[in-house]
Amino acid sequence: MCKNCLLVVALLLVISSVFWPNPSAIEAADGVHGDPQARCKNCHSCEKPTHENPCLLKCERPKEVSGIPDSATHGPDVIFLDQLVGLYEPVYFPHKLHADMEKMGEGCAVCHHHNPPGRILACRECHGGPSNPANLGQPGLKGAYHRQCLGCHREWSHKTDCNVCHAKRSEIAGKIAAGTAIANASPGMQDTNFDIMGSLHPNIETPKKYVYKTPEVPDGPIVTFHHKEHTDLFGLKCVDCHRKESCARCHDPQSHPPHVRNDPHQDCEKCHDVADNCALCHVQEETKGFNHETRTGFPLKTFHQQLACAQCHKEGRPFKKLDPACQNCHGEGWIPKDFDHARAGVKLDETHQQADCKDCHTEGLGKPSTCSGCHDDGKAFPGSVPGTVVQPR
Amino acid sequence: MKLNRRGFFQVMAAGTATALASQPAQASDQAQASNPNSIGMLVDTTECIGCRKCEFACDMANNLTGQPVKAFEDMKVYDRERRMSENAFTVVNRYANPEDSNRPIYVKSQCMHCLKPGCTSACLVGALRVGDNGAVVYDAWKCLGCRYCMVACPFQVPMYEYDDPLTPRVRKCEFCHTRLEEGKLPACAEMCPPMALTFGSREELLKLAHKKIESNPDRYIDHVYGEKEVGGTSWLYLASREFEKTGFLKLGEGAVPSLTEPIQHAIFKLGLPPLALYGLLGAMMWTYRNGDEYIDPGESEETDPSA
Amino acid sequence: MHEPARAEPARKEFWTPGVYALIVLAGIAVVIAIYRFVYGLSAVTNLDQEYPWGIWIALDVATGVALAAGGFTTAAALTHIFHRHRYEVLVRPALLTAMLGYTFVALGLTVDLGRYYNMWHPLMPSMWQGNSVLFEVGMCVVIYLNVLYIEFLPIVCERFIGAVHLPGLLARFNQPVDSLLRFLDRTLSRVMFLFIIAGVVLSCMHQSSLGGLLLIAPYKMHPLWYTPILPFLFLLSAIAVGFPMVIFESLLASKSFGRKPEMHVLTPLARLVTLTLGIYMIAKIADLLIRDAYVYLFDGSFESWMFLAEMFFGGFLPMGMLLSDKVRFSPNLLLASTTLVVLGVAFNRINVFLVAYQPPYAQKAYFPSLGEIFFTVGMIAALMLVYRAAVTIFPILPPGHKPSSRVLIKQEG
């Protein structure tokens, strides 16, 4: 039986190898990828491209296939364009700053157009030399640089002066210093709430809240969006919501109308479950904003108030309920024997320093103290202070 | 030279019947216009940033005013529309952009280097001529200074050195033909920072222009200025806004020499109409040889000679 | 050609107050010309990058050619080709006008040309550019000027044969020069008919081509004037102005030299004017109607008024006048009506070359400078001076003081 099977399989193989169309036959018959005009060589550099290794030609191809990331996970921080160093000072190009901005756009491909999947190509790898007589549509390196920069910069700054980029020597020293600062900045610093694209961009004063009227929802005609809360408190970065914006929308609002979202829910639903929960946002009147105590029962006092949400809710958004016990965050041995009570705003006098924490904070640490355990003279906080009031640190 | 029959009929029509010749002659042979060696320049006005560096490059390359680059960084010149002058073969003008008032449209103007130029057809000594590559060049040595080229140019391009009493020249862009011979690009195209000027073969540039329009229909209007205007020009323009609103002229597709050359060809290349007239007059002279007599002033009398 | 004198040098005092005035005007023109040659065109003219041609082209050249040749060509055609010999008396003054007119056209052009010293270039076959309308105009004018000089030679011969009196040492050449003149006279009288026909043909060619000059600028010309038949209209108007010019000259000369106007030929000639002028007017109106350009006639623009004024004062008014017997028989009214036709053609040339010419990027209009105006005036004055001098030297005008007996004329050629 197996002999026959093998024979049949072998026969099939031979027949198929004879009738199996070779690549050029595919091309000649009806083009490739269903496009009668297409030719393999137009896009592929090797003889037999495979799915794993398509060996796509770099630079412009009739059919664009872009497989590059839409956020700058790697890439240089600063690039010096010094091809014309004989004529001009080198141009300082803060790549990282722009790469970060592309999160707001459509990814790296905005600038690195016509890039095949894989390695990201530098401008000069395609746009080499002064200009390409064989491909007049492809500008030379100078044209590529200028078009790429000016394409956006004149959109919003309207500045096309040469010295915006071609700086004098004294100026470039300052820019190099600033660039090094970005490059050396600690990740934590770049994660601060205001930083949208690196420290070179000035901080943006964000609006406190927006109050939207939604008369189409009779049960909740008002939606309050506490913008500042989201950026400051919840630690959202601008780009988390503001995607596919252009610089000009902020920098040139007269001629560029604000972005109108097709579906206003799409930003909220990234964090909030809004599907069947209209009343979460649509309410009868303007809301006051987030209050940790009313929402969770855990009041945020002096210290906790200063923290960003993520510093306690370490697992990130969406924030989940935490065990309110101190040691849950602070660990078992959190309270040291030599706790400097002055940090809490009251420097204890010698008598009270002797007492154990729980002697006074009978209801728990962080809660008001009970004096009646020891005092029968009616002294009580805050009428009487067990020491001197100081500035909490 | 091939006999231009249309031209012959043209002159006959003009000479015999006013009613028949009420239409301007169309370009007789469009095919003649396409020269495969023809060079061109594609100006993408959407890429132009109005930096005036082309003016500076042109000034340097042609030894015009010799002003430093700083003189060309003055953007106040955009407050009024400028035209070329005998000392500036190219100028950039700014036009309002209704879609974005902060981002105006800049248009560079210079000689368009027509495929069938009015100026070369007008010049009676061939001081202006179309080179093998299509560049319209000038030879001051031949020039008479009659300025008919200025009259004939539909784009109002040739400029004249009126201040020069001895050797005034007609001045205009000559496509940097000496630089081209050295293998360099025209000065403006070489200098242009955003490479809004693309130099190449006119045929290729036309293909590129249409490809650009096709792939960016939002960015460009579907019209390549210079493709057909006055029989085609070597300089081609792409724009985001109707050309008439950014300083371009609305011109027909016929080359202007087609309005005069057929008549000239009929007269010079053929010589028939003058000879025919000559013969006709000779015949009349013979026919009427027994005309009336000389009338002495003393014997005036009234007769109707036209009778 | 040795029939008894039907023309003789005018016998009148040359130096009159009018002549002095002409000398002053001509002197101003000379000063302006010198100034232009030293300091350039911009120092004297209002020409600029927008308006390359001014009144020196429109008047000195275009009008000059139309008026000078128009008169002679029509007179020559009438007398020599159609053999209406009664008008013979008008041919020599017209010939002199044409010859001087063309000489002054050349002089005026010299001042207007930027590189006047290259004027000989169109004569070099290596530089011939047959596509150019201006080339044709230039060649025709040059050849025609020579034809005119040749046609004038018999008058020189007539004046000097047997009367060559060279001064001083040159006196020894008296005999050879006299023989040369006699030889020329004999030869020319045999072949003159060739030159006469050539003159008419050349004249027709470049009169029309002069109108063809502006055909190449369709986008700059006002539609009232821009028409494909502009060359034809120029030819018709040159023919139309021919007889009026001859009448105008004759009457003016009669007045100037205190003679009896030659009404016996002028009146029938005036009748012919109604025909030539009528054809021109009909062609012009038909052109307007066929091209649908009449819509611009009454749009109240400057151009429309100029066109209407040209048509009325240069066409309808003199036409109406000449149709009346009273006008044609009255020297003064005839002078007035022919002056209108002459000025009308000048008006037309100004309109075509200056008013209709509207460069698309022009920011202002052209108006001639004082220098341009006075140079043109001075050129006309100088022409009149030379004309006056010529008629006192050469037998141009008919004998004015005593009527000669009736003579039968031999055929020429």
Side-chain angles (χ1 to χ4, degrees):
Chain A
M1 174 216 149
C2 270
K3 239 182 185 176
N4 283 340
C5 289
L6 278 172
L7 212 66
V8 168
V9 169
L11 202 67
L12 279 173
L13 273 173
V14 169
I15 291 169
S16 63
S17 70
V18 170
F19 289 98
W20 199 260
N22 60 35
S24 57
I26 303 175
E27 195 170 274
D30 51 347
V32 272
H33 305 309
D35 182 354
Q37 299 295 315
R39 293 289 171 267
C40 304
K41 289 275 183 236
N42 288 353
C43 299
H44 303 280
S45 59
C46 52
E47 204 56 52
K48 282 173 186 153
T50 60
H51 204 272
E52 290 69 39
N53 178 24
C55 61
L56 283 166
L57 284 170
K58 55 186 188 178
C59 315
E60 200 172 7
R61 302 168 302 278
K63 251 190 184 153
E64 289 302 319
V65 182
S66 190
I68 58 172
D70 62 354
S71 68
T73 49
H74 61 286
D77 292 330
V78 175
I79 300 173
F80 287 98
L81 311 175
D82 54 0
Q83 281 84 1
L84 292 177
V85 78
L87 292 171
Y88 303 104
E89 299 291 353
V91 172
Y92 160 84
F93 172 61
H95 179 270
K96 184 174 174 52
L97 189 146
H98 288 80
D100 286 344
M101 275 189 286
E102 286 314 333
K103 286 179 200 165
M104 290 211 291
E106 286 166 51
C108 302
V110 167
C111 294
H112 294 278
H113 47 205
H114 316 312
N115 204 104
R119 191 172 64 87
I120 293 182
L121 304 170
C123 305
R124 65 176 178 281
E125 289 183 65
C126 293
H127 300 273
S131 63
N132 183 0
N135 183 4
L136 292 171
Q138 183 188 59
L141 188 56
K142 176 180 69 173
Y145 281 150
H146 280 107
R147 288 189 193 181
Q148 202 67 280
C149 299
L150 288 163
C152 299
H153 275 258
R154 71 167 166 155
E155 278 268 309
W156 59 271
S157 75
H158 313 303
K159 275 187 191 162
T160 53
D161 310 350
C162 307
N163 58 15
V164 171
C165 297
H166 298 277
K168 297 193 178 86
R169 192 167 281 283
S170 54
E171 288 170 10
I172 201 154
K175 285 201 176 179
I176 290 168
T180 336
I182 302 178
N184 296 338
S186 66
M189 180 185 156
Q190 289 188 35
D191 279 343
T192 52
N193 289 337
F194 286 113
D195 182 20
I196 48 166
M197 54 193 73
S199 61
L200 274 192
H201 194 283
N203 284 343
I204 296 169
E205 191 53 51
T206 54
K208 202 157 180 241
K209 62 184 176 191
Y210 290 99
V211 180
Y212 300 101
K213 297 215 160 40
T214 56
E216 67 275 12
V217 185
D219 291 343
I222 287 172
V223 174
T224 316
F225 173 62
H226 295 271
H227 186 279
K228 203 176 177 68
E229 221 162 59
H230 282 75
T231 58
D232 295 9
L233 200 57
F234 309 148
L236 286 163
K237 286 191 182 183
C238 307
V239 293
D240 288 340
C241 299
H242 294 275
R243 285 192 165 260
K244 303 199 178 181
E245 300 271 11
S246 82
C247 310
R249 290 220 173 86
C250 289
H251 289 279
D252 189 20
Q254 277 87 25
S255 43
H256 291 83
H259 187 70
V260 178
R261 286 171 176 77
N262 289 333
D263 179 12
H265 296 113
Q266 66 191 15
D267 287 329
C268 305
E269 68 191 4
K270 282 180 202 154
C271 304
H272 304 282
D273 179 19
V274 298
D276 304 306
N277 198 3
C278 303
L280 184 68
C281 302
H282 293 273
V283 291
Q284 289 295 337
E285 50 193 37
E286 205 179 311
T287 59
K288 286 239 157 57
F290 181 74
N291 184 321
H292 203 270
E293 187 173 12
T294 50
R295 186 67 78 84
T296 65
F298 183 83
L300 297 183
K301 293 275 176 89
T302 323
F303 299 108
H304 287 119
Q305 226 160 18
Q306 292 169 21
L307 300 173
C309 306
Q311 280 177 276
C312 300
H313 300 274
K314 285 194 171 38
E315 78 289 357
R317 289 183 299 268
F319 301 132
K320 293 195 184 69
K321 187 177 173 167
L322 297 178
D323 185 342
C326 299
Q327 61 269 31
N328 189 45
C329 289
H330 295 286
E332 277 306 327
W334 177 65
I335 300 161
K337 285 277 170 268
D338 55 348
F339 175 70
D340 179 8
H341 198 275
R343 289 179 66 169
V346 173
K347 191 178 185 333
L348 298 177
D349 54 26
E350 274 185 43
T351 322
H352 287 91
Q353 271 178 16
Q354 306 300 320
D356 193 59
C357 301
K358 284 179 184 160
D359 290 347
C360 302
H361 295 286
T362 49
E363 289 178 37
L365 294 175
K367 298 242 161 72
S369 56
T370 321
C371 304
S372 54
C374 306
H375 291 274
D376 48 7
D377 50 2
K379 279 187 178 168
F381 187 82
S384 303
V385 179
T388 46
V389 175
V390 294
Q391 197 66 32
R393 284 183 282 121
Chain B
M1 192 68 186
K2 231 178 70 184
L3 163 66
N4 189 330
R5 280 189 58 208
R6 261 192 92 148
F8 175 70
F9 289 127
Q10 193 68 34
V11 76
M12 293 314 282
T16 52
T18 68
L20 289 179
S22 58
Q23 289 290 317
Q26 281 302 306
S28 45
D29 291 316
Q30 281 290 352
Q32 284 180 358
S34 62
N35 168 7
N37 300 325
S38 195
I39 54 168
M41 187 83 86
L42 178 64
V43 185
D44 188 338
T45 59
T46 66
E47 298 285 5
C48 180
I49 53 169
C51 66
R52 295 184 66 205
K53 288 294 174 291
C54 50
E55 295 183 27
F56 170 63
C58 181
D59 194 277
M60 274 207 303
N62 293 293
N63 294 319
L64 298 178
T65 63
Q67 291 178 85
V69 66
K70 215 154 185 59
F72 294 91
E73 282 167 3
D74 176 16
M75 298 300 153
K76 283 200 201 73
V77 295
Y78 286 134
D79 291 347
R80 57 175 194 84
E81 188 169 5
R82 294 178 301 153
R83 290 293 299 161
M84 288 149 267
S85 77
E86 69 271 34
N87 291 321
F89 298 171
T90 184
V91 290
V92 182
N93 278 303
R94 184 177 63 192
Y95 298 93
N97 182 354
E99 279 164 24
D100 183 353
S101 59
N102 280 318
R103 194 179 155 179
I105 298 167
Y106 294 96
V107 176
K108 173 187 188 292
S109 50
Q110 72 297 306
C111 174
M112 297 290 286
H113 295 275
C114 308
L115 302 185
K116 287 182 151 189
C119 59
T120 59
S121 169
C123 185
L124 74 168
V125 288
L128 283 158
R129 64 180 179 86
V130 185
D132 295 336
N133 58 3
V136 179
V137 294
Y138 172 67
D139 181 355
W141 188 84
K142 286 182 178 175
C143 178
L144 300 190
C146 69
R147 310 184 294 285
Y148 186 30
C149 49
M150 300 171 73
V151 172
C153 176
F155 297 100
Q156 208 184 319
V157 163
M159 298 288 150
Y160 196 68
E161 292 178 321
Y162 286 104
D163 294 334
D164 189 335
L166 259 181
T167 55
R169 289 167 295 177
V170 170
R171 304 297 269 153
K172 70 169 203 75
C173 161
E174 295 182 69
F175 227 137
C176 281
H177 66 288
T178 47
R179 287 175 59 91
L180 291 178
E181 281 160 21
E182 295 165 19
K184 295 183 195 161
L185 283 175
C188 51
E190 189 184 87
M191 181 72 93
C192 181
M195 290 191 172
L197 309 174
T198 311
F199 176 82
S201 110
R202 184 173 184 272
E203 234 167 283
E204 292 294 316
L205 288 176
L206 268 178
K207 279 186 213 155
L208 171 64
H210 285 293
K211 197 177 139 197
K212 278 184 153 191
I213 292 173
E214 201 183 314
S215 45
N216 296 289
D218 296 340
R219 181 174 183 142
Y220 302 107
I221 56 162
D222 188 13
H223 180 184
V224 182
Y225 193 89
E227 181 179 12
K228 296 194 174 132
E229 273 76 10
V230 290
T233 61
S234 299
W235 279 66
L236 305 163
Y237 284 80
L238 284 173
S240 58
R241 201 180 167 210
E242 303 93 297
F243 285 102
E244 290 75 50
K245 294 191 175 149
T246 51
F248 290 89
L249 301 172
K250 193 165 180 63
L251 300 173
E253 293 187 3
V256 286
S258 65
L259 295 161
T260 53
E261 285 189 4
I263 303 175
Q264 295 308 302
H265 289 179
I267 293 170
F268 278 95
K269 304 273 158 59
L270 193 60
L272 200 60
L275 284 177
L277 183 60
Y278 198 97
L280 187 71
L281 289 173
M284 279 173 145
M285 202 170 183
W286 178 254
T287 313
Y288 289 97
R289 63 192 180 281
N290 300 317
D292 67 354
E293 296 164 345
Y294 172 68
I295 291 172
D296 193 274
E299 286 185 38
S300 55
E301 54 176 313
E302 163 81 6
T303 45
D304 189 358
S306 64
Chain C
M1 291 273 298
H2 286 291
E3 61 279 352
R6 62 186 113 129
E8 59 182 36
R11 289 170 200 160
K12 190 155 194 287
E13 182 59 37
F14 183 77
W15 301 101
T16 61
V19 169
Y20 288 116
L22 291 179
I23 288 174
V24 171
L25 287 173
I28 292 174
V30 172
V31 172
I32 291 170
I34 292 171
Y35 200 76
R36 172 259 173 272
F37 284 122
V38 176
Y39 294 104
L41 278 168
S42 62
V44 176
T45 67
N46 275 352
L47 299 178
D48 56 26
Q49 310 299 3
E50 294 166 359
Y51 297 92
W53 285 355
I55 56 167
W56 288 358
I57 297 293
L59 280 177
D60 300 15
V61 176
T63 310
V65 164
L67 298 185
F72 173 61
T73 305
T74 47
L78 192 63
T79 51
H80 296 309
I81 291 174
F82 293 97
H83 296 280
R84 303 286 177 187
H85 289 285
R86 66 169 76 183
Y87 302 111
E88 189 90 37
V89 62
L90 301 171
V91 172
R92 284 193 173 186
L95 170 59
L96 179 64
T97 313
M99 193 182 79
L100 293 181
Y102 269 62
T103 310
F104 275 81
V105 163
L107 287 177
L109 203 57
T110 311
V111 178
D112 187 74
L113 286 180
R115 294 174 167 236
Y116 44 87
Y117 42 84
N118 283 347
M119 263 181 116
W120 52 275
H121 278 180
L123 302 177
M124 305 302 293
S126 64
M127 291 188 230
W128 281 358
Q129 213 284 85
N131 289 334
S132 171
V133 183
L134 195 59
F135 174 71
E136 193 213 326
V137 174
M139 291 302 273
C140 283
V141 168
V142 170
I143 298 169
Y144 189 51
L145 190 54
N146 285 295
V147 168
L148 287 172
Y149 284 135
I150 291 167
E151 290 190 52
F152 194 75
L153 268 179
I155 299 173
V156 179
C157 296
E158 185 181 327
R159 167 69 178 79
F160 286 110
I161 283 172
V164 182
H165 301 298
L166 294 171
L169 282 175
L170 292 171
R172 70 178 68 171
F173 295 110
N174 279 351
Q175 192 51 43
V177 169
D178 191 63
S179 308
L180 178 70
L181 287 177
R182 282 173 196 280
F183 168 75
L184 273 177
D185 193 40
R186 271 198 315 276
T187 320
L188 283 173
S189 65
R190 291 198 192 102
V191 294
M192 189 52 80
F193 76 100
L194 290 175
F195 289 104
I196 287 168
I197 304 175
V200 176
V201 173
L202 285 166
S203 205
C204 286
M205 279 168 73
H206 73 264
Q207 289 293 352
S208 56
S209 291
L210 214 48
L213 280 181
L214 289 164
L215 282 188
I216 205 165
Y219 302 109
K220 296 180 177 178
M221 296 286 289
H222 192 279
L224 276 175
W225 288 280
Y226 187 87
T227 158
I229 62 153
L230 199 57
F232 187 59
L233 290 181
F234 262 53
L235 179 62
L236 285 184
S237 60
I239 293 171
V241 82
F243 296 139
M245 189 65 195
V246 171
I247 298 169
F248 172 77
E249 274 174 61
S250 173
L251 288 170
L252 219 56
S254 301
K255 274 196 188 304
S256 175
F257 291 101
R259 292 145 171 263
K260 183 166 159 269
E262 323 249 357
M263 295 307 284
H264 67 292
V265 284
L266 299 185
T267 303
L269 206 53
R271 185 95 175 251
L272 270 182
V273 174
T274 56
L275 181 72
T276 57
L277 186 60
I279 292 173
Y280 171 56
M281 297 291 290
I282 288 167
K284 215 161 151 64
I285 292 165
D287 169 60
L288 269 193
L289 294 176
I290 289 167
R291 285 188 302 115
D292 290 337
Y294 56 87
V295 294
Y296 300 99
L297 263 185
F298 303 105
D299 64 4
S301 64
F302 174 68
E303 292 80 18
S304 70
W305 285 114
M306 289 299 269
F307 189 88
L308 289 172
E310 174 198 325
M311 290 295 277
F312 180 75
F313 291 108
F316 292 115
L317 184 60
M319 187 76 184
M321 288 172 78
L322 288 169
L323 282 172
S324 121
D325 280 352
K326 196 181 145 212
V327 172
R328 275 181 283 128
F329 282 97
S330 149
N332 283 335
L333 285 173
L334 192 56
L335 179 63
S337 59
T338 51
T339 307
L340 279 175
V341 180
V342 169
L343 290 181
V345 169
F347 199 171
N348 171 258
R349 298 306 189 256
I350 287 178
N351 274 346
V352 169
F353 280 85
L354 304 180
V355 175
Y357 187 78
Q358 296 165 335
Y361 294 107
Q363 284 159 350
K364 55 183 176 357
Y366 161 83
F367 194 82
S369 69
L370 280 180
E372 288 176 89
I373 294 169
F374 274 102
F375 179 77
T376 299
V377 170
M379 289 290 276
I380 297 166
L383 191 145
M384 289 165 79
L385 269 179
V386 180
Y387 185 95
R388 193 177 168 89
V391 296
T392 54
I393 296 169
F394 296 106
I396 309 279
L397 297 177
H401 50 293
K402 60 174 170 64
S404 57
S405 57
R406 184 174 165 177
V407 187
L408 281 174
I409 301 303
K410 289 186 295 179
Q411 290 300 315
E412 279 184 57

